[in-house]
Amino acid sequence: MNEAIESATPALCRLQLGVELRRLRTDKGLAAAQVARRLYWAPSKLTRLETGDNGVVAPSDVIALCDLYSASPEERAVLEGYAVVTKTKKDWWQSPSYRPVIPPGFKAFLGLEAIATQLRTYEAEFVPGLLQTEAYVRVIHERAMAGLGSDEIDRLVEVRLTRQEVLRRTQSPLKLTAIVNESVLRRRVGNGQVMRGQLEHIAELAEGLPNVRVQVVPFEVGAHPGMNGSFAVLHFREPLKPIVYLENMAAAGVTRKEDDVERYEEAFSDLQATAPGHRESLTLIHNAIKEF
């Protein structure tokens, strides 16, 4: 197995495997229903494989598809390698130490975030999770989840920090576009040192990582398209379509309805046009740092 595949996460391997299998099928001129009939599979089985929806992919299924599609030896080796990773490795959020502190709805989001190519998020109240520092995360969890033991808080902090690896992964790092309300910069979470460190961290990521872009909606713009609350739009490789993720104190979930996704995409585009650009927003962040 080549080194790049061996180091990839199972979630990315499932997605890339699905994309390549779909490409081979369409190149062969076969409809999904034809493939399912020839292999005596339920149509849903092929659909799950092509959308990366299977937790584990059997190498024998990949071999059968490669035979049917007349895949080259090089293609076979790559696709079988993806399948092996899904069988021999687990996604980090499936770890026994994390499972008890991750609600089912958020676990589903972590799986989506891990395979997304782009995340466009608007946050009205706090720094987006992928940009948070350890100290900032800890204060939020201690305040929002009073009553949890220190061990559980520690695991929640680890979950948040582990999520952030998608921004620095060597294979297809996530492209993050984050828009925040100015109140996020001004609201003191913890003491001044925590806030200075947090805002400096945002600036460091936005200036140092080409896949991270940050914009700030200043108070002076008045009412804006994000007044209804925070949201995130995730984009994926084809054939997966964008989805919207929403959460509140009681629940979290996604919507795939095209009308809903389109409405949130338009709201995000309007926010981008309303807020100062990336460079001007970084100036606002640096000015806020001085106040702490």
Coordinates of all heavy atoms in Angstrom, one line a residue, residues 50-137:
E50 N -20.5 4.2 -3.5 CA -20.1 5.3 -4.3 C -20.2 6.6 -3.6 O -19.7 7.6 -4.0 CB -21.0 5.3 -5.6 CG -20.6 4.2 -6.5 CD -21.3 4.4 -7.9 OE1 -22.1 5.3 -8.0 OE2 -21.0 3.6 -8.8
T51 N -21.0 6.7 -2.5 CA -21.1 7.9 -1.7 C -20.3 7.9 -0.4 O -20.3 8.8 0.4 CB -22.6 8.1 -1.3 OG1 -23.1 7.0 -0.6 CG2 -23.4 8.4 -2.5
G52 N -19.5 6.8 -0.2 CA -18.7 6.7 1.0 C -19.4 6.5 2.2 O -19.0 6.9 3.3
D53 N -20.6 5.9 2.1 CA -21.5 5.8 3.3 C -21.3 4.5 4.1 O -22.0 4.3 5.1 CB -23.0 5.9 2.8 CG -23.9 6.3 3.9 OD1 -23.5 7.0 4.8 OD2 -25.1 5.9 3.8
N54 N -20.4 3.7 3.6 CA -20.2 2.4 4.3 C -19.1 2.7 5.4 O -18.1 3.3 5.1 CB -19.7 1.3 3.4 CG -20.8 0.7 2.7 OD1 -22.0 1.1 2.8 ND2 -20.5 -0.4 1.9
G55 N -19.3 2.1 6.6 CA -18.3 2.3 7.6 C -17.0 1.5 7.2 O -15.9 1.9 7.4
V56 N -17.3 0.3 6.7 CA -16.2 -0.6 6.3 C -16.4 -1.1 4.9 O -17.6 -1.4 4.6 CB -16.0 -1.8 7.3 CG1 -15.0 -2.8 6.8 CG2 -15.7 -1.3 8.7
V57 N -15.4 -1.1 4.1 CA -15.5 -1.6 2.7 C -14.8 -2.9 2.6 O -13.6 -3.0 2.9 CB -15.0 -0.6 1.7 CG1 -15.1 -1.2 0.3 CG2 -15.8 0.7 1.8
A58 N -15.5 -4.0 2.1 CA -14.8 -5.3 1.9 C -13.9 -5.2 0.7 O -14.4 -4.9 -0.4 CB -15.8 -6.4 1.8
P59 N -12.6 -5.6 0.8 CA -11.8 -5.6 -0.4 C -12.3 -6.5 -1.5 O -12.1 -6.2 -2.7 CB -10.4 -6.1 0.2 CG -10.4 -5.7 1.6 CD -11.9 -5.8 2.0
S60 N -13.0 -7.6 -1.1 CA -13.6 -8.5 -2.1 C -14.6 -7.7 -3.0 O -14.7 -8.0 -4.2 CB -14.2 -9.7 -1.5 OG -15.2 -9.3 -0.6
D61 N -15.4 -6.8 -2.4 CA -16.3 -6.0 -3.2 C -15.6 -5.1 -4.2 O -16.0 -4.9 -5.3 CB -17.2 -5.2 -2.3 CG -18.2 -6.0 -1.5 OD1 -18.5 -7.2 -1.9 OD2 -18.7 -5.5 -0.5
V62 N -14.5 -4.5 -3.8 CA -13.7 -3.7 -4.6 C -13.1 -4.5 -5.8 O -13.1 -4.0 -6.9 CB -12.6 -2.9 -3.8 CG1 -11.7 -2.2 -4.8 CG2 -13.3 -2.0 -2.8
I63 N -12.6 -5.7 -5.5 CA -12.0 -6.5 -6.5 C -13.1 -6.9 -7.5 O -12.8 -6.9 -8.8 CB -11.5 -7.8 -5.9 CG1 -10.2 -7.4 -5.0 CG2 -11.1 -8.8 -6.9 CD1 -9.7 -8.6 -4.2
A64 N -14.3 -7.2 -7.1 CA -15.4 -7.6 -8.0 C -15.7 -6.4 -8.9 O -15.9 -6.6 -10.1 CB -16.6 -8.0 -7.2
L65 N -15.7 -5.2 -8.4 CA -16.0 -4.0 -9.2 C -14.9 -3.7 -10.2 O -15.1 -3.4 -11.4 CB -16.3 -2.8 -8.3 CG -17.6 -2.8 -7.6 CD1 -17.6 -1.7 -6.5 CD2 -18.8 -2.7 -8.5
C66 N -13.7 -3.9 -9.7 CA -12.5 -3.7 -10.6 C -12.5 -4.7 -11.8 O -12.2 -4.3 -12.9 CB -11.2 -3.8 -9.8 SG -10.8 -2.4 -8.8
D67 N -12.9 -5.9 -11.5 CA -13.0 -6.9 -12.6 C -14.0 -6.5 -13.6 O -13.8 -6.6 -14.8 CB -13.4 -8.3 -12.0 CG -12.2 -8.9 -11.2 OD1 -11.0 -8.5 -11.4 OD2 -12.5 -9.9 -10.4
L68 N -15.2 -6.0 -13.1 CA -16.3 -5.6 -14.0 C -15.9 -4.4 -14.8 O -16.3 -4.3 -16.0 CB -17.5 -5.4 -13.1 CG -18.8 -5.0 -13.9 CD1 -19.2 -6.1 -14.8 CD2 -19.9 -4.7 -12.9
Y69 N -15.2 -3.5 -14.2 CA -14.8 -2.2 -14.9 C -13.5 -2.3 -15.7 O -13.1 -1.3 -16.3 CB -14.7 -1.1 -13.9 CG -15.9 -0.8 -13.1 CD1 -15.8 -0.3 -11.8 CD2 -17.2 -1.1 -13.6 CE1 -17.0 0.0 -11.0 CE2 -18.3 -0.9 -12.8 CZ -18.2 -0.3 -11.5 OH -19.3 -0.1 -10.8
S70 N -12.8 -3.5 -15.6 CA -11.6 -3.7 -16.3 C -10.5 -2.6 -15.9 O -9.8 -2.0 -16.7 CB -11.7 -3.6 -17.8 OG -12.7 -4.5 -18.3
A71 N -10.5 -2.4 -14.6 CA -9.5 -1.5 -14.0 C -8.1 -1.9 -14.2 O -7.8 -3.1 -14.3 CB -9.8 -1.3 -12.5
S72 N -7.2 -0.9 -14.4 CA -5.8 -1.2 -14.6 C -5.2 -1.7 -13.3 O -5.7 -1.5 -12.2 CB -5.1 0.0 -15.0 OG -5.0 1.0 -13.9
P73 N -4.0 -2.4 -13.3 CA -3.4 -2.9 -12.1 C -3.1 -1.8 -11.1 O -3.2 -1.9 -9.9 CB -2.1 -3.5 -12.6 CG -2.4 -3.9 -14.0 CD -3.3 -2.9 -14.6
E74 N -2.7 -0.6 -11.7 CA -2.4 0.5 -10.8 C -3.7 1.0 -10.1 O -3.7 1.3 -8.9 CB -1.8 1.7 -11.6 CG -0.5 1.4 -12.2 CD -0.5 0.6 -13.5 OE1 -1.6 0.4 -14.0 OE2 0.5 0.1 -13.9
E75 N -4.8 1.1 -10.8 CA -6.1 1.5 -10.2 C -6.5 0.5 -9.2 O -7.0 0.9 -8.1 CB -7.1 1.6 -11.3 CG -6.9 2.8 -12.2 CD -7.9 2.8 -13.4 OE1 -8.2 1.7 -13.9 OE2 -8.3 3.9 -13.8
R76 N -6.4 -0.8 -9.4 CA -6.8 -1.8 -8.5 C -6.0 -1.7 -7.2 O -6.6 -1.8 -6.1 CB -6.5 -3.2 -9.1 CG -7.4 -3.7 -10.2 CD -6.9 -5.0 -10.8 NE -7.8 -5.4 -11.8 CZ -8.8 -6.3 -11.6 NH1 -9.0 -6.8 -10.4 NH2 -9.6 -6.7 -12.6
A77 N -4.7 -1.5 -7.3 CA -3.8 -1.4 -6.1 C -4.3 -0.2 -5.2 O -4.4 -0.3 -4.0 CB -2.4 -1.2 -6.5
V78 N -4.6 0.9 -5.8 CA -5.0 2.1 -5.1 C -6.4 1.8 -4.4 O -6.5 2.1 -3.2 CB -5.1 3.3 -6.0 CG1 -5.8 4.5 -5.3 CG2 -3.7 3.7 -6.4
L79 N -7.3 1.3 -5.2 CA -8.7 1.1 -4.6 C -8.7 0.0 -3.5 O -9.4 0.2 -2.5 CB -9.6 0.7 -5.7 CG -9.8 1.8 -6.8 CD1 -10.8 1.4 -7.9 CD2 -10.2 3.1 -6.2
E80 N -7.9 -1.0 -3.7 CA -7.8 -2.0 -2.7 C -7.2 -1.5 -1.4 O -7.5 -1.8 -0.3 CB -7.1 -3.3 -3.2 CG -7.9 -4.1 -4.2 CD -7.1 -5.3 -4.7 OE1 -6.3 -5.9 -3.9 OE2 -7.2 -5.6 -6.0
G81 N -6.2 -0.6 -1.6 CA -5.6 0.1 -0.5 C -6.6 0.9 0.3 O -6.6 0.8 1.6
Y82 N -7.4 1.6 -0.4 CA -8.5 2.4 0.3 C -9.4 1.4 1.2 O -9.7 1.7 2.3 CB -9.3 3.1 -0.7 CG -8.7 4.3 -1.3 CD1 -8.9 4.6 -2.7 CD2 -7.9 5.2 -0.6 CE1 -8.4 5.7 -3.3 CE2 -7.3 6.3 -1.2 CZ -7.5 6.6 -2.6 OH -7.0 7.7 -3.2
A83 N -9.8 0.3 0.6 CA -10.6 -0.6 1.3 C -9.9 -1.2 2.5 O -10.6 -1.3 3.6 CB -11.1 -1.7 0.3
V84 N -8.7 -1.5 2.4 CA -7.9 -2.1 3.5 C -7.9 -1.1 4.7 O -8.1 -1.5 5.8 CB -6.5 -2.5 3.1 CG1 -5.6 -2.8 4.3 CG2 -6.5 -3.7 2.1
V85 N -7.7 0.2 4.4 CA -7.7 1.2 5.4 C -9.0 1.2 6.2 O -9.0 1.3 7.4 CB -7.3 2.6 4.9 CG1 -7.6 3.7 5.9 CG2 -5.9 2.7 4.4
T86 N -10.1 1.1 5.5 CA -11.4 1.2 6.2 C -11.6 0.0 7.1 O -12.4 0.0 8.0 CB -12.6 1.2 5.1 OG1 -12.7 0.0 4.5 CG2 -12.4 2.3 4.1
K87 N -10.9 -1.1 6.8 CA -11.1 -2.3 7.6 C -10.1 -2.4 8.8 O -10.4 -3.0 9.8 CB -10.9 -3.6 6.7 CG -12.1 -3.9 5.8 CD -11.9 -5.2 5.1 CE -12.1 -6.4 6.1 NZ -13.4 -6.6 6.6
T88 N -9.0 -1.7 8.6 CA -7.9 -1.9 9.6 C -7.8 -0.7 10.5 O -7.1 -0.8 11.5 CB -6.5 -2.1 8.9 OG1 -6.3 -1.1 8.0 CG2 -6.6 -3.4 8.1
K89 N -8.4 0.4 10.2 CA -8.3 1.6 11.0 C -9.7 2.2 11.3 O -10.6 1.9 10.6 CB -7.5 2.7 10.3 CG -6.0 2.4 10.1 CD -5.4 3.4 9.2 CE -5.3 4.8 9.8 NZ -4.5 5.7 8.9
K90 N -9.8 2.9 12.5 CA -11.1 3.5 12.8 C -10.9 5.0 12.8 O -9.8 5.5 13.1 CB -11.5 3.0 14.3 CG -12.0 1.6 14.3 CD -12.5 1.3 15.7 CE -13.1 -0.1 15.8 NZ -14.3 -0.2 15.0
D91 N -12.0 5.7 12.5 CA -12.0 7.1 12.6 C -11.8 7.5 14.0 O -12.4 6.9 14.9 CB -13.3 7.7 12.0 CG -13.4 7.5 10.5 OD1 -12.5 7.9 9.8 OD2 -14.4 6.9 10.1
W92 N -11.1 8.6 14.3 CA -10.7 9.0 15.6 C -11.9 9.1 16.6 O -11.9 8.8 17.8 CB -9.9 10.2 15.7 CG -10.5 11.5 15.2 CD1 -10.5 12.0 13.9 CD2 -11.3 12.4 16.0 NE1 -11.3 13.1 13.9 CE2 -11.8 13.4 15.1 CE3 -11.7 12.4 17.3 CZ2 -12.6 14.5 15.5 CZ3 -12.6 13.4 17.7 CH2 -13.0 14.5 16.9
W93 N -13.1 9.6 16.0 CA -14.2 9.8 16.9 C -14.9 8.5 17.3 O -15.8 8.6 18.2 CB -15.2 10.8 16.2 CG -15.7 10.3 14.9 CD1 -16.8 9.5 14.7 CD2 -15.2 10.6 13.6 NE1 -16.9 9.3 13.3 CE2 -16.0 10.0 12.7 CE3 -14.1 11.4 13.2 CZ2 -15.7 10.1 11.3 CZ3 -13.8 11.5 11.9 CH2 -14.6 10.9 10.9
Q94 N -14.5 7.4 16.8 CA -15.0 6.1 17.2 C -14.2 5.5 18.3 O -14.5 4.4 18.8 CB -15.0 5.1 16.0 CG -15.7 5.6 14.8 CD -17.2 5.6 15.0 OE1 -17.7 5.1 16.1 NE2 -18.0 6.1 14.0
S95 N -13.2 6.2 18.8 CA -12.3 5.8 19.9 C -13.2 5.6 21.2 O -14.0 6.4 21.5 CB -11.2 6.8 20.2 OG -10.6 6.5 21.4
P96 N -13.0 4.5 21.9 CA -13.8 4.3 23.2 C -13.7 5.5 24.1 O -14.6 5.7 24.9 CB -13.1 3.0 23.8 CG -12.6 2.3 22.6 CD -12.1 3.4 21.7
S97 N -12.5 6.2 24.1 CA -12.4 7.3 25.1 C -13.2 8.5 24.7 O -13.6 9.4 25.5 CB -10.9 7.7 25.2 OG -10.4 8.2 23.9
Y98 N -13.6 8.6 23.4 CA -14.3 9.8 22.9 C -15.8 9.5 22.8 O -16.7 10.4 23.0 CB -13.8 10.2 21.5 CG -12.5 10.8 21.5 CD1 -11.6 10.7 20.4 CD2 -12.0 11.6 22.6 CE1 -10.3 11.2 20.4 CE2 -10.7 12.2 22.6 CZ -9.9 12.0 21.5 OH -8.7 12.5 21.5
R99 N -16.2 8.3 22.5 CA -17.6 7.9 22.2 C -18.6 8.4 23.3 O -19.6 8.9 22.9 CB -17.7 6.4 21.9 CG -17.4 6.0 20.5 CD -18.0 4.7 20.2 NE -17.7 3.6 21.1 CZ -16.7 2.7 20.9 NH1 -16.0 2.8 19.8 NH2 -16.5 1.8 21.8
P100 N -18.2 8.2 24.6 CA -19.2 8.6 25.6 C -19.5 10.1 25.7 O -20.6 10.5 26.2 CB -18.6 8.1 26.9 CG -17.5 7.1 26.5 CD -17.0 7.6 25.2
V101 N -18.6 11.0 25.1 CA -18.9 12.4 25.3 C -19.3 13.1 24.0 O -19.5 14.3 23.9 CB -17.6 13.1 25.8 CG1 -17.2 12.6 27.2 CG2 -16.4 12.9 24.9
I102 N -19.5 12.3 22.9 CA -19.9 12.8 21.6 C -21.4 12.4 21.4 O -21.6 11.3 21.1 CB -19.0 12.4 20.5 CG1 -17.5 12.7 20.8 CG2 -19.5 13.0 19.2 CD1 -16.6 12.2 19.7
P103 N -22.3 13.4 21.4 CA -23.7 13.1 21.1 C -23.8 12.5 19.6 O -23.0 12.8 18.8 CB -24.4 14.4 21.2 CG -23.5 15.3 21.9 CD -22.1 14.8 21.6
P104 N -24.8 11.6 19.4 CA -25.0 11.0 18.1 C -25.0 12.0 16.9 O -24.4 11.8 15.9 CB -26.3 10.2 18.2 CG -26.4 9.9 19.7 CD -25.8 11.1 20.4
G105 N -25.8 13.1 17.1 CA -25.9 14.1 16.1 C -24.6 14.7 15.7 O -24.3 15.0 14.5
F106 N -23.8 15.0 16.7 CA -22.5 15.6 16.5 C -21.5 14.6 15.9 O -20.6 15.0 15.1 CB -21.9 16.2 17.8 CG -20.7 17.1 17.5 CD1 -20.8 18.2 16.7 CD2 -19.5 16.8 18.1 CE1 -19.7 19.0 16.5 CE2 -18.4 17.6 17.9 CZ -18.5 18.7 17.1
K107 N -21.7 13.3 16.3 CA -20.8 12.3 15.7 C -21.0 12.2 14.2 O -20.1 12.1 13.4 CB -21.1 11.0 16.4 CG -20.1 9.9 16.0 CD -20.4 8.6 16.8 CE -20.3 8.8 18.3 NZ -20.5 7.5 19.0
A108 N -22.3 12.3 13.8 CA -22.6 12.3 12.4 C -21.9 13.5 11.7 O -21.4 13.4 10.6 CB -24.1 12.4 12.1
F109 N -21.9 14.7 12.3 CA -21.3 15.9 11.8 C -19.8 15.7 11.6 O -19.2 16.1 10.6 CB -21.6 17.1 12.6 CG -20.8 18.3 12.2 CD1 -21.2 19.0 11.1 CD2 -19.7 18.7 12.9 CE1 -20.5 20.1 10.7 CE2 -19.0 19.8 12.5 CZ -19.3 20.5 11.4
L110 N -19.2 15.0 12.6 CA -17.7 14.8 12.5 C -17.4 14.0 11.3 O -16.3 14.2 10.7 CB -17.2 14.1 13.8 CG -17.3 15.0 15.1 CD1 -16.9 14.1 16.3 CD2 -16.4 16.2 15.0
G111 N -18.2 13.0 11.0 CA -18.0 12.1 9.9 C -18.1 12.9 8.6 O -17.3 12.7 7.6
L112 N -19.0 13.9 8.5 CA -19.2 14.7 7.4 C -18.0 15.7 7.2 O -17.5 16.0 6.2 CB -20.5 15.5 7.4 CG -21.8 14.6 7.3 CD1 -23.0 15.3 7.7 CD2 -21.9 14.0 5.9
E113 N -17.7 16.3 8.4 CA -16.6 17.3 8.4 C -15.3 16.7 7.9 O -14.5 17.3 7.2 CB -16.4 17.9 9.8 CG -15.4 19.0 9.9 CD -15.3 19.5 11.3 OE1 -14.7 18.8 12.2 OE2 -15.7 20.7 11.5
A114 N -15.1 15.4 8.3 CA -13.8 14.7 7.9 C -13.7 14.5 6.4 O -12.6 14.3 5.9 CB -13.7 13.4 8.7
I115 N -14.8 14.4 5.7 CA -14.7 14.2 4.3 C -15.0 15.4 3.4 O -15.0 15.3 2.2 CB -15.6 13.0 3.8 CG1 -17.1 13.3 4.1 CG2 -15.2 11.7 4.5 CD1 -18.1 12.3 3.5
A116 N -15.4 16.5 4.1 CA -15.7 17.7 3.4 C -14.5 18.3 2.7 O -13.4 18.2 3.2 CB -16.4 18.7 4.3
T117 N -14.7 19.0 1.6 CA -13.6 19.7 0.9 C -13.7 21.1 1.3 O -12.6 21.8 1.3 CB -13.8 19.6 -0.6 OG1 -15.1 20.1 -1.0 CG2 -13.7 18.2 -1.1
Q118 N -14.8 21.6 1.7 CA -15.0 23.0 2.1 C -16.0 23.2 3.2 O -17.1 22.5 3.1 CB -15.3 23.9 0.9 CG -15.5 25.4 1.2 CD -15.8 26.2 -0.1 OE1 -16.2 25.6 -1.1 NE2 -15.8 27.5 0.0
L119 N -15.7 24.1 4.1 CA -16.7 24.4 5.2 C -16.8 25.9 5.2 O -15.9 26.6 5.4 CB -16.2 23.9 6.5 CG -17.0 24.3 7.8 CD1 -18.4 23.8 7.7 CD2 -16.3 23.8 9.1
R120 N -18.1 26.4 5.0 CA -18.4 27.8 5.1 C -19.3 28.0 6.3 O -20.4 27.5 6.4 CB -19.1 28.2 3.8 CG -18.3 27.9 2.5 CD -19.2 28.2 1.3 NE -19.1 29.5 0.9 CZ -20.0 30.1 0.1 NH1 -21.1 29.5 -0.3 NH2 -19.8 31.4 -0.2
T121 N -18.8 28.7 7.3 CA -19.5 28.8 8.6 C -19.7 30.3 9.0 O -18.7 31.1 8.8 CB -18.8 28.0 9.7 OG1 -19.5 28.1 10.9 CG2 -17.4 28.5 9.9
Y122 N -20.8 30.6 9.6 CA -21.1 31.8 10.2 C -21.3 31.6 11.7 O -22.1 30.8 12.1 CB -22.3 32.6 9.6 CG -22.7 33.8 10.5 CD1 -21.8 34.9 10.5 CD2 -23.8 33.8 11.2 CE1 -22.2 36.0 11.3 CE2 -24.1 34.8 12.0 CZ -23.3 35.9 12.1 OH -23.6 37.0 12.9
E123 N -20.6 32.3 12.6 CA -20.8 32.2 14.0 C -21.1 33.5 14.6 O -20.4 34.5 14.4 CB -19.5 31.6 14.7 CG -19.3 30.1 14.5 CD -20.4 29.3 15.3 OE1 -21.2 29.9 16.0 OE2 -20.4 28.1 15.1
A124 N -22.2 33.6 15.4 CA -22.6 34.8 16.0 C -22.1 35.0 17.5 O -22.0 36.1 17.9 CB -24.1 34.9 16.0
E125 N -21.8 33.9 18.1 CA -21.6 34.0 19.6 C -20.2 33.6 20.0 O -19.7 34.1 21.0 CB -22.6 33.0 20.3 CG -24.0 33.5 20.2 CD -24.2 34.8 20.9 OE1 -23.6 35.2 21.9 OE2 -25.1 35.6 20.4
F126 N -19.5 32.7 19.3 CA -18.2 32.3 19.7 C -17.3 31.9 18.6 O -17.8 31.8 17.4 CB -18.2 31.1 20.7 CG -19.1 29.9 20.2 CD1 -18.5 29.0 19.3 CD2 -20.3 29.7 20.7 CE1 -19.3 27.9 18.9 CE2 -21.1 28.6 20.2 CZ -20.6 27.8 19.3
V127 N -16.0 31.8 18.8 CA -15.1 31.4 17.8 C -15.4 30.1 17.2 O -15.7 29.1 17.9 CB -13.6 31.4 18.4 CG1 -12.6 30.9 17.3 CG2 -13.2 32.8 18.8
P128 N -15.4 29.9 15.8 CA -15.7 28.6 15.3 C -14.8 27.5 15.8 O -13.6 27.8 16.1 CB -15.4 28.8 13.8 CG -15.7 30.3 13.6 CD -15.2 31.0 14.8
G129 N -15.3 26.3 16.0 CA -14.6 25.3 16.7 C -13.2 25.0 16.1 O -12.3 24.7 16.8
L130 N -13.1 25.1 14.8 CA -11.9 24.7 14.1 C -10.8 25.8 14.3 O -9.6 25.5 14.0 CB -12.1 24.5 12.6 CG -12.9 23.3 12.2 CD1 -13.1 23.2 10.7 CD2 -12.3 22.0 12.7
L131 N -11.2 26.9 14.9 CA -10.2 28.0 15.2 C -9.9 28.2 16.6 O -9.2 29.1 17.0 CB -10.7 29.3 14.5 CG -10.9 29.3 13.0 CD1 -11.5 30.6 12.6 CD2 -9.7 28.9 12.3
Q132 N -10.5 27.4 17.5 CA -10.4 27.6 19.0 C -9.1 27.1 19.5 O -8.6 26.1 19.1 CB -11.6 27.0 19.7 CG -13.0 27.6 19.4 CD -14.1 26.8 20.0 OE1 -13.9 25.8 20.7 NE2 -15.3 27.3 19.7
T133 N -8.7 27.8 20.6 CA -7.5 27.4 21.3 C -7.9 26.5 22.4 O -9.1 26.4 22.8 CB -6.7 28.6 21.9 OG1 -7.6 29.2 22.9 CG2 -6.3 29.5 20.9
E134 N -7.0 25.7 23.0 CA -7.3 24.8 24.1 C -7.9 25.6 25.3 O -8.9 25.1 25.9 CB -6.1 24.0 24.5 CG -6.3 23.1 25.7 CD -5.1 22.2 26.1 OE1 -4.1 22.3 25.3 OE2 -5.2 21.5 27.1
A135 N -7.3 26.7 25.6 CA -7.8 27.4 26.8 C -9.2 28.0 26.6 O -10.1 27.9 27.5 CB -6.9 28.6 27.1
Y136 N -9.5 28.4 25.4 CA -10.8 29.0 25.0 C -11.9 27.8 25.1 O -13.0 28.0 25.6 CB -10.7 29.6 23.7 CG -12.0 30.4 23.2 CD1 -12.1 31.7 23.4 CD2 -13.0 29.7 22.5 CE1 -13.2 32.5 22.9 CE2 -14.1 30.4 22.0 CZ -14.2 31.8 22.2 OH -15.3 32.5 21.8
V137 N -11.5 26.7 24.5 CA -12.4 25.5 24.5 C -12.8 25.1 25.9 O -13.9 24.9 26.2 CB -11.8 24.3 23.7 CG1 -12.7 23.1 23.8 CG2 -11.4 24.7 22.3

